């Protein structure tokens, strides 16, 4: 995979970079004995040092040019037997390896080793040349490691964003698919009996209104999560909301019975996923199965929440008719929690969806 990670230096980092170059040069200039230089040589050395410090400020905009200038100045100072340049060059090389991918920063490493080996070798200081070459390789490695860590953090952050986006998309799909299906069926029922049974038509229209309000609450909750709105009041669905869901589906024409066995205490994320699995299953029953009855069975056994939805329809793969996300979406919910889901024709007829979810959740 190509390295496309881009790093920029803020103003604070550039100030820190300049401060580091000053801190590197100052002790050497003050504590290390310097060779005797003519006034012209001192002026030239001072100009080179100031230039090497000042050019670091533009490291963010022109890192390659700054690196080249810093390396040439460092080599020139070494030719003057002034050990002031390599330290700054190493700082610049480390920064280059952090800012740019290896295919670019390796040229900087090669230039550093070549220039300082030539400058130190010309003054017959081969041991120092070997030392600075090793230091340059270590400095480059440090910068490359920092770049890799930054890239990994950014990649992880991007992955989390994509996961959250996929989760919200799945939630919206479940809410809208369920709601629209119910509203279409209720509206069709109201239209069929509008002239002959106005009272039944009114009940169907009221059911459409109730389902629409529930959907609006769910959508507001999801949009509140996206916008980090702490004031939204709609909470995530829980297992206690299955009774209301069953009532809504029953009004649409499929009689739903919910069976609970014993005390059911699970993590909120598990409860929400279980609710969505039941919601999607019942929506598919309503849309495709042609069933008149459905049963929802919930229990906790062996540290797992077991959810089973069966209907009295014709069986087969009706849950996937219409090209929807049906079974795939439910399986994805189960596997993301570390559970599993099975779906298929029931032995006694109809269709059966069964999910096993860790009661306390699984990352």
């Amino acid at each position: 995979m190509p390295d496309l990670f881009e790093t920029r230096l803020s103003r604070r980092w550039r100030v820190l970079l300049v401060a580091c170059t000053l801190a590197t040069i100052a002790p050497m200039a003050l504590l290390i004995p310097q060779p005797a230089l003519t006034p012209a040589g001192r002026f030239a050395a001072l100009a080179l040092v100031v230039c090497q410090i000042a050019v670091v400020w533009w490291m963010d905009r022109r890192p390659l040019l700054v690196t080249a200038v810093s390396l040439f100045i460092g080599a020139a100072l070494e030719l003057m037997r002034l050990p002031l340049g390599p330290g700054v060059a190493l700082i610049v090389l480390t920064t280059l390896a952090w800012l740019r991918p290896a295919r670019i920063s390796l040229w900087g490493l090669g230039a550093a080793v070549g220039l300082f080996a030539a400058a130190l070798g010309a003054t017959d200081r081969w041991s120092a040349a070997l030392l600075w070459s090793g230091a340059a390789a270590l400095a480059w490695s440090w910068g490359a490691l920092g770049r890799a860590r930054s890239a990994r953090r950014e990649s992880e952050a991007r992955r989390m964003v994509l996961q959250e986006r996929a989760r919200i998309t799945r939630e919206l799909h479940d809410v809208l698919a369920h709601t629209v299906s119910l509203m279409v069926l209720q509206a069709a029922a109201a239209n069929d009996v509008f002239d002959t049974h106005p009272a039944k038509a009114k009940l169907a229209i009221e059911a459409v209104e109730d389902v629409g309000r529930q959907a609006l609450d769910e959508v507001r909750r999801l949009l509140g999560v996206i916008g980090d709105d702490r004031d939204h009041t709609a909470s995530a669905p829980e297992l206690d909301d299955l009774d209301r869901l069953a009532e809504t589906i029953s009004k649409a024409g499929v009689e739903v019975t919910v069976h609970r066995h014993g005390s059911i205490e699970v993590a909120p994320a598990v409860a929400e996923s279980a609710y969505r699995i039941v919601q999607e299953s019942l929506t598919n029953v309503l849309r495709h199965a042609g069933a008149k009855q459905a049963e929802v069975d919930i229990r906790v056994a062996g540290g797992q929440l077991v959810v089973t939805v069966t209907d009295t329809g014709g069986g087969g793969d009706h849950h996937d008719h219409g090209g929807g996300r049906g079974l795939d979406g439910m399986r994805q919910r189960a596997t993301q929690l570390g559970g599993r889901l099975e779906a298929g024709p029931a032995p006694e007829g109809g269709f059966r969806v069964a999910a096993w979810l860790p009661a306390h959740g699984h990352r």
Side-chain angles (χ1 to χ4, degrees), residues 40 48 82 99 103 184 356:
L48 288 174
L82 294 172
L99 292 176
R103 66 178 184 275
V184 168
W356 291 263

Side-chain angles (χ1 to χ4, degrees), residues 79-332:
L79 285 173
M80 300 172 66
R81 292 186 174 272
L82 294 172
L84 304 177
V88 176
L90 295 183
I91 294 175
V92 171
L93 185 60
T94 301
T95 308
L96 177 67
W98 184 50
L99 292 176
R100 292 294 181 265
R103 66 178 184 275
I104 296 175
S105 61
L106 277 173
W107 288 100
L109 174 60
V113 173
L115 286 172
F116 284 101
L120 292 167
T123 55
D124 199 25
R125 289 177 289 168
W126 292 107
S127 59
L130 182 61
L131 176 63
W132 281 113
S133 296
L138 183 61
W140 180 89
S141 300
W142 191 17
L145 178 61
R147 176 181 176 80
R149 289 179 175 175
S150 297
R152 187 163 56 249
R153 286 195 297 268
E154 182 171 294
S155 176
E156 179 66 16
R158 187 182 297 113
R159 186 184 68 82
M160 294 297 292
V161 169
L162 292 177
Q163 278 190 345
E164 183 65 9
R165 187 179 299 170
R167 185 190 71 82
I168 293 174
T169 300
R170 186 172 63 248
E171 294 289 331
L172 284 173
H173 165 268
D174 290 349
V175 170
L176 295 179
H178 169 74
T179 302
V180 171
S181 297
L182 288 180
M183 294 178 74
V184 168
L185 289 172
Q186 294 286 15
N191 184 60
D192 290 340
V193 299
F194 187 80
D195 294 325
T196 56
H197 298 86
K200 291 184 178 180
K202 182 179 179 181
L203 290 176
I205 293 173
E206 289 177 352
V208 169
E209 180 183 7
D210 183 53
V211 171
R213 292 183 185 279
Q214 293 178 25
L216 284 176
D217 288 341
E218 293 263 21
V219 171
R220 286 194 186 102
R221 179 180 66 84
L222 292 173
L223 294 179
V225 170
I226 295 174
D228 197 26
D229 181 6
R230 304 299 181 184
D231 295 329
H232 61 277
T233 57
S235 58
E238 301 174 349
L239 293 179
D240 290 340
D241 296 321
L242 288 176
D243 294 326
R244 186 179 64 174
L245 175 63
E247 182 181 355
T248 302
I249 298 294
S250 298
K251 289 181 180 179
V254 177
E255 183 181 349
V256 179
T257 305
V258 179
H259 301 285
R260 292 181 175 84
H261 303 272
S263 175
I264 300 177
E265 297 182 0
V266 298
V270 177
E272 182 178 1
S273 292
Y275 177 91
R276 293 301 185 196
I277 289 173
V278 174
Q279 183 185 54
E280 181 70 20
S281 298
L282 293 178
T283 301
N284 287 335
V285 171
L286 195 62
R287 294 168 61 188
H288 308 303
K292 295 299 182 182
Q293 293 181 333
E295 292 187 356
V296 179
D297 187 274
I298 308 173
R299 67 183 68 202
V300 174
Q304 290 187 317
L305 175 66
V306 183
V307 180
T308 306
V309 181
T310 56
D311 64 65
T312 59
D317 295 331
H318 55 259
H319 279 253
D320 274 339
H321 287 179
R325 298 168 49 129
L327 294 178
D328 289 338
M330 289 188 282
R331 285 196 180 96
Q332 187 177 18

